[in-house]
Amino acid sequence: MKNAQHVVVDWGTSSFRLWVLDKAGAVLAEKRSSTGMNALRPEEYCSLLESELGELGVPEALPVMICGMAGSAQGWVHVPYLDAPAQLATLAAHASRVPGSKRSVRIMPGIAQRMQEAPDVMRGEETILLGAFQAHGVNGVVCLPGTHSKWALVLDGCLKGFTTAMTGEIYALLKERSILRHFLTGKEREEIGTRFDEAVQDALAAPHRVLSRIFSLRAEPLLFAETQDGLEQKLSGLLIGLEIAGMREAIGRHKVTLLSAGRLGAVYGRAFSLAGIDFDFINSEAMARVGLHNAALHAFGDLRESQL
């Protein structure tokens, strides 16, 4: 930990990702777990963080910058939202100090869209957008897929507005809680198949029929048992296609950036190509680190060096 400058944490609803960084932002150590907000009470955050840092041998002098659901009303410390439009570069200045911690800990604010006709909120994605703007000058429409996918308009470093689509959560609810659970029993294949492609194209061509198409996932295996394979991909394709169809007008002539990682990035990239959307792909996890790193440099300055 000799060269460590600070610790950054992306603390989500169901995940915990921690990185120890040097002054240049290089990763010196990391920890990951599924101990997100859903698994914690507010009084448990501090002890969990210190336990993870203790295992890595991180000294108490090292400050910590956090983004995500740790700053929600159900999280560690409630950090008020900034209002959109918001300059991404100002996020670090509004990070809130966590009281009662042995070390200097701050949590980034989320962003709220206080429009009566389109109220919306985000926590965590704003830091990814900050990193993407700082590292790549991202400008235009940005898609951040996830349980709650975000579509944001970023112009010259200002988050002008955004829209959330509950695509991932609706997929999980249909698969695990609806009548479809009796038929959607298999795991999605790693490769993206023709059933996904066909479903995306179907949803793009006729988004008003998607609810009917989803019910066909119940009827199909009852009537044609030999076609049951690939139903998960069909459901995924219908929902993602519907999401993209709903955003076509907002995309307009803007440049599109896909900020994602892993299989989800590949799935959305495939759907974008099927929709004829020209896009750039940037790894979202790396951008979360960049945004947190630069926010920590701004908030903590040379705190680490002054304590050595």
Side-chain angles (χ1 to χ4, degrees), residues 43-88:
E43 63 271 19
E44 295 175 318
Y45 279 83
C46 186
S47 60
L48 175 65
L49 177 64
E50 289 303 326
S51 175
E52 298 285 12
L53 294 176
E55 288 186 18
L56 293 174
V58 176
E60 287 187 3
L62 217 60
V64 180
M65 179 64 75
I66 300 171
C67 75
M69 297 305 291
S72 72
Q74 296 77 37
W76 188 356
V77 174
H78 184 220
V79 182
Y81 291 106
L82 297 185
D83 288 347
Q87 290 291 334
L88 295 171

Side-chain angles (χ1 to χ4, degrees), residues 25 37 57 124 185 254 271:
M37 180 192 70
T185 56
H254 289 293

Side-chain angles (χ1 to χ4, degrees), residues 103-207:
R103 67 179 76 240
S104 181
V105 180
R106 297 190 190 185
I107 303 178
M108 299 278 278
I111 296 181
Q113 185 167 269
R114 300 181 194 275
M115 299 167 55
Q116 195 66 41
E117 66 278 17
D120 214 326
V121 293
M122 66 166 64
R123 280 198 188 274
E125 294 89 357
E126 75 294 321
T127 305
I128 299 173
L129 290 170
L130 171 63
F133 177 71
Q134 291 173 326
H136 298 280
V138 164
N139 211 53
V141 172
V142 185
C143 174
L144 301 98
T147 302
H148 302 144
S149 296
K150 304 291 183 183
W151 292 74
L153 179 60
V154 178
L155 298 176
D156 299 322
C158 179
L159 176 58
K160 294 292 188 179
F162 56 97
T163 298
T164 301
M166 292 179 62
T167 307
E169 183 167 357
I170 296 299
Y171 175 86
L173 288 171
L174 287 172
K175 185 176 178 180
E176 298 167 10
R177 300 290 185 89
S178 78
I179 196 169
L180 300 180
R181 71 186 185 280
H182 301 296
F183 307 99
L184 302 175
T185 56
K187 293 182 178 179
E188 283 197 77
R189 297 176 178 175
E190 284 301 314
E191 69 274 12
I192 307 167
T194 56
R195 301 219 75 184
F196 175 83
D197 293 355
E198 291 167 355
V200 169
Q201 292 167 329
D202 195 3
L204 290 168

Side-chain angles (χ1 to χ4, degrees), residues 4-60:
Q5 179 73 15
H6 44 239
V7 175
V8 299
V9 181
D10 183 356
W11 215 326
T13 302
S14 58
S15 64
F16 171 88
R17 296 180 295 179
L18 177 153
W19 300 277
V20 182
L21 306 179
D22 68 13
K23 194 169 185 178
V27 178
L28 302 178
E30 65 179 281
K31 295 279 287 186
R32 297 168 183 264
S33 76
S34 58
T35 316
M37 180 192 70
N38 283 344
L40 293 169
R41 297 191 300 272
E43 63 271 19
E44 295 175 318
Y45 279 83
C46 186
S47 60
L48 175 65
L49 177 64
E50 289 303 326
S51 175
E52 298 285 12
L53 294 176
E55 288 186 18
L56 293 174
V58 176
E60 287 187 3

